[in-house]
Amino acid sequence: MPAARVKQDKIRAVRKELEGLAQSATSAHQLMSQMVKLLHERMLKYNWVGFYMLEKSSPAQDRMLVLGPFQGAMTPHTRIPLNQGICGAAASTGKTIIVDDVNSDPRYLACSVETKSEIVVPVFARNEVVGELDIDSHFLAAFNHEDRELVEYCAGLVGKHLEKMVA
Ligand code: SME
C-alpha cells in the first residue's frame, strides 16, 4: 500500500479514537492529556506533543502561554510570552503555523536539538484564543495538509469541550 494511503488510513482511525475520547472525557484537562498521549503514540513523526494554555489572570498585554499536558521530553519553555516563538505567533494571530525547517525560522524557540519541523494550532473557545496545540517532529517538513486538518480537529474538540464546561 502506498505510504500516502497508509497515512490517510491511520489518520482516519486516530480521528475515530479522538472522537471517542472527546465523548467520554469528564474534563478538558483529561481530554487534553489523553489526546497528547494518543497523538504521540500513534503518529510516528509527532515526537513532542503538548498544549500551551493562555494564562487568565495577568493583564492582557503581558499574558503568558503556560505549558499544559504534554508527551515527550521536558521543555525549557514552560512559559512563553505572546511576542516570542512560533507558539507566541500562533496564539497572537489566531492562525495555524507550520514551519518545515525550524532552523531557518528566526522566531523558533528551541526545545530539543532534534526538532526539525513544527506545527502550532490555536484553540478557540467562544471565538477567543484560549491556548494552542504544539507538535514538534524530528523530521523536516513532517506536517502536510492532512496533519493540519487532524491537529485543527483536535484543537476544535478541546475548544468545544471548554465551551461546554462554562455553558
Ligand atoms: N518551539 C516552540 C517552543 C515550544 S517547544 O517546542 C516545546 C516555539 O518556537 O514557540
Side-chain angles (χ1 to χ4, degrees):
M1 209 192 286
R5 180 68 197 283
V6 171
K7 185 168 173 179
Q8 281 165 8
D9 288 352
K10 165 77 73 70
I11 288 182
R12 203 168 301 128
V14 166
R15 275 179 82 121
K16 269 214 152 13
E17 287 187 54
L18 287 162
E19 213 176 284
L21 292 184
Q23 273 165 12
S24 63
T26 53
S27 71
H29 193 273
Q30 186 195 61
L31 176 58
M32 290 191 282
S33 302
Q34 293 175 337
M35 193 175 263
V36 294
K37 194 162 183 292
L38 177 71
L39 292 175
H40 188 251
E41 272 173 16
R42 302 288 304 279
M43 302 301 292
L44 297 182
K45 292 188 179 178
Y46 293 14
N47 301 112
W48 190 95
V49 183
F51 282 91
Y52 282 93
M53 301 309 285
L54 255 187
E55 203 169 40
K56 287 196 196 87
S57 51
S58 44
Q61 71 275 12
D62 42 44
R63 286 174 82 187
M64 290 272 196
L65 290 159
V66 181
L67 183 63
F70 72 95
Q71 288 281 308
M74 185 57 193
T75 169
H77 304 292
T78 55
R79 293 171 65 80
I80 303 176
L82 282 180
N83 61 357
Q84 284 182 25
I86 316 283
C87 285
S92 56
T93 58
K95 297 223 184 318
T96 294
I97 299 181
I98 293 178
V99 179
D100 286 341
D101 177 4
V102 291
N103 291 313
S104 64
D105 192 319
R107 299 169 299 181
Y108 175 62
L109 296 172
C111 163
S112 145
V113 286
E114 289 177 299
T115 298
K116 303 274 193 314
S117 60
E118 179 163 11
I119 180 170
V120 188
V121 173
V123 173
F124 287 87
R126 301 194 190 287
N127 299 317
E128 277 188 28
V129 176
V130 291
E132 61 193 20
L133 179 50
D134 176 19
I135 302 178
D136 294 350
S137 179
H138 296 172
F139 299 82
L140 283 168
F143 306 106
N144 68 7
H145 66 281
E146 289 165 328
D147 298 280
R148 183 193 181 113
E149 267 175 32
L150 175 65
V151 185
E152 289 180 346
Y153 175 69
C154 290
L157 289 177
V158 172
K160 262 187 246 156
H161 215 281
L162 288 166
E163 287 176 356
K164 245 193 327 200
M165 313 272 297
V166 292

